[in-house]
Amino acid sequence: MGAHGGSFLVEPEPTPAVEDFYAGDLDGQGYVMNLTRLWAHVPEAQHLLSQVLEAVTDAGGLTFRQRAVLVAATAGELGDSYCALAWGTRLAAEVGDGVAAGVLRGDDSGLDEADRAMAGWARRVCADPNGTGAEDVDVLRRAGFDDRQIFCITTFVALRRAFSTVNDALGARPDAELVTAAPEEVAAAVTFGRPPMAPGD
């Protein structure tokens, strides 16, 4: 493991750019997340990724709940425990603990039609983008999304998958604080991916 123990990489030297990068976490969460320590090797990369995600979020008019559905479904399909805990908790605040836990496990029965369509599409894009068909896109259209929104939803999922892939491949472990903050049903649903840090690690 790396020097910090939260990934396979050694934490970068504390340059002004790295310290500025960490400051966002300290201000927002009160601690520096393991994935932030990982992306601190090239902070500009995460900044640029975030800008593209923001662009498609705005262009597609994606609400916070919709983004939470997309990330939770993507994380569950990919087996990414980090984003599953972080965004499963956020989704739980929007739709309830049991529904959020269901989405992480691949059960969308508690969602409305539009959210079910998004969650199902996210899993298809994540699992096998070459396996999708026009009929899958039609499900999104019938749920009320136009083609611009469908493009934005798809790009959002693809970029979140890329973000998770970097974190997972380089061994980023969910922070102990994420487990503490997660509702019991959400935490119990995350039976995949990297094991979380224990308090005090």
Side-chain angles (χ1 to χ4, degrees), residues 100-187:
V103 174
L104 292 171
R105 292 192 302 265
D107 175 8
D108 304 325
S109 58
L111 299 175
D112 63 25
E113 180 187 4
D115 286 351
R116 284 198 305 273
M118 285 195 304
W121 177 249
R123 293 192 190 91
R124 289 182 179 89
V125 171
C126 184
D128 184 10
N130 283 304
T132 63
E135 65 277 9
D136 297 312
V137 174
D138 285 340
V139 172
L140 290 166
R141 290 196 183 104
R142 288 196 297 272
F145 298 104
D146 62 28
D147 283 16
R148 178 182 174 88
Q149 289 175 309
I150 293 169
F151 174 85
C152 291
I153 289 167
T154 305
T155 305
F156 183 89
V157 170
L159 293 174
R160 289 298 315 194
R161 190 191 195 288
F163 180 69
S164 290
T165 298
V166 173
N167 297 334
D168 295 344
L170 294 177
R173 295 174 60 192
D175 308 282
E177 291 87 347
L178 292 179
V179 181
T180 300
E184 184 176 346
E185 288 183 79
V186 169

Side-chain angles (χ1 to χ4, degrees), residues 11-23 39-44:
E11 190 171 349
E13 293 297 321
T15 65
V18 169
E19 293 298 329
D20 286 346
F21 194 50
Y22 288 174
W39 285 83
H41 285 278
V42 188
E44 298 84 355

Side-chain angles (χ1 to χ4, degrees), residues 44-61:
E44 298 84 355
Q46 187 174 14
H47 291 320
L48 290 169
L49 179 60
S50 296
Q51 288 174 8
V52 181
L53 283 165
E54 183 177 351
V56 294
T57 294
D58 291 345

